[in-house]
Amino acid sequence: MGVSIAVALLNMIDRYLVTGFYGQELFGVYNSNNSIASGIFTMISVGIMRGVYPAVLRGWREGGVNAAKPLLDQGVRLYLLIAAPAVAGLTAVSLPLSRFLFAEGYDAGASVIAYTALAMLFMGLTEYANKAYELEQSTIHVLQNSAAAAVVKVVCSLALLKLCGFTGGAMGSIIAFAFYFIITSARVRRRFLFHVPASSLVRIVVCSLLCGAAAFACTLLPFGNLIRLALAVCAGGLTYAVTIVLSGEAKAEFAAILARLKRRL
């Protein structure tokens, strides 16, 4: 629900701001590109949270913080394993993806896909940070933090829309959601906050960047737009799968997949 409300609020604010500055036509370009990343990340966030939160809640009921926090840590790591390469991949293929999905001229807002993906990454992390408030039934702090982030969103978007054109609304979302994550993390530490080991974080980020680099390289090939897009998706996905396994970060997940395949065979 938090992700859905945040996305709806983001679209509602941007509708008024972008339309006010640049008119309904450019808002259509903005919103079409924005919907790609926001839709994908809503599915990622909701899908992972449905698997993680029941386990965290059960751990909380049975053993409090000591039982719930390790499960929350694992959930955040799993989220980053999927969301970080999604940001890198969407950024890499934003232009050919926009050209494939929309009419001519809509690719002027292709960068919105990348900006929105990064903003939604922060939004997802904030949802995990908010779990301490939710488990302790102290959600007034969530309202306070989200209200502060909404103010930051409006102020930053107003400034960036003037400076950077109609894509400035998405840039403002990055700042607002990053602020939301930072202020939530700072305030919730007095209760408990998830922790991802620095080594895991570095491996995930590096492998995600390699994924994005491989995908972007394919978008430069001398082929048609659809072929470049297909090659970029395949190359990015394969690069991430290979590098994340070789790095040892996804060793447990890879072993679980192999074990399940063996049982079915």
Side-chain angles (χ1 to χ4, degrees):
M1 289 181 63
V3 173
S4 300
I5 292 171
V7 173
L9 181 62
L10 169 66
N11 290 333
M12 183 178 67
I13 292 175
D14 284 341
R15 175 179 294 276
Y16 290 110
L17 295 180
V18 178
T19 301
F21 275 93
Y22 297 101
Q24 191 67 37
E25 184 175 347
L26 278 183
F27 173 73
V29 174
Y30 175 95
N31 191 52
S32 296
N33 286 281
N34 174 74
S35 65
I36 296 175
S38 62
I40 289 173
F41 267 83
T42 298
M43 289 189 294
I44 291 174
S45 297
V46 172
I48 296 176
M49 192 65 74
R50 281 185 175 181
V52 171
Y53 193 49
V56 172
L57 184 59
R58 184 169 57 252
W60 176 261
R61 289 172 175 171
E62 294 175 355
V65 174
N66 292 333
K69 188 177 180 300
L71 297 171
L72 185 62
D73 294 344
Q74 294 173 19
V76 175
R77 176 183 165 276
L78 178 61
Y79 171 72
L80 288 173
L81 276 172
I82 299 174
V87 173
L90 284 171
T91 300
V93 304
S94 58
L95 184 58
L97 183 60
S98 183
R99 288 175 175 172
F100 171 67
L101 292 175
F102 306 122
E104 184 179 353
Y106 276 66
D107 57 354
S111 60
V112 172
I113 298 174
Y115 299 147
T116 302
L118 183 56
M120 293 297 292
L121 174 67
F122 284 117
M123 182 65 228
L125 289 173
T126 307
E127 286 298 303
Y128 285 97
N130 278 331
K131 287 296 167 277
Y133 289 136
E134 295 173 9
L135 292 170
E136 294 186 359
Q137 301 180 32
S138 184
T139 51
I140 185 63
H141 301 290
V142 179
L143 178 61
Q144 294 169 347
N145 296 339
S146 60
V151 173
V152 171
K153 161 66 181 172
V154 172
V155 172
C156 291
S157 292
L158 284 172
L160 291 168
L161 282 167
K162 291 182 179 179
L163 293 173
C164 305
F166 73 97
T167 61
M171 296 180 190
S173 297
I174 296 175
I175 297 173
F177 283 166
F179 171 81
Y180 188 18
F181 172 62
I182 292 170
I183 191 174
T184 298
S185 299
R187 296 186 68 190
V188 82
R189 283 185 184 277
R190 288 174 291 181
R191 291 172 166 82
F192 67 92
L193 179 66
F194 62 79
H195 172 73
V196 178
S199 57
S200 292
L201 189 59
V202 169
R203 285 193 289 265
I204 292 171
V205 170
V206 170
C207 292
S208 297
L209 291 176
L210 291 173
C211 161
F216 181 73
C218 290
T219 66
L220 304 177
L221 295 173
F223 301 119
N225 185 67
L226 181 57
I227 295 177
R228 289 200 303 267
L229 178 60
L231 289 174
V233 171
C234 293
L238 182 60
T239 299
Y240 182 71
V242 171
T243 55
I244 201 68
V245 170
L246 291 179
S247 71
E249 184 58 37
K251 184 177 180 180
E253 288 78 8
F254 185 67
I257 292 172
L258 288 178
R260 176 164 294 187
L261 289 175
K262 289 179 179 178
R263 287 197 299 270
R264 291 188 175 183
L265 294 175

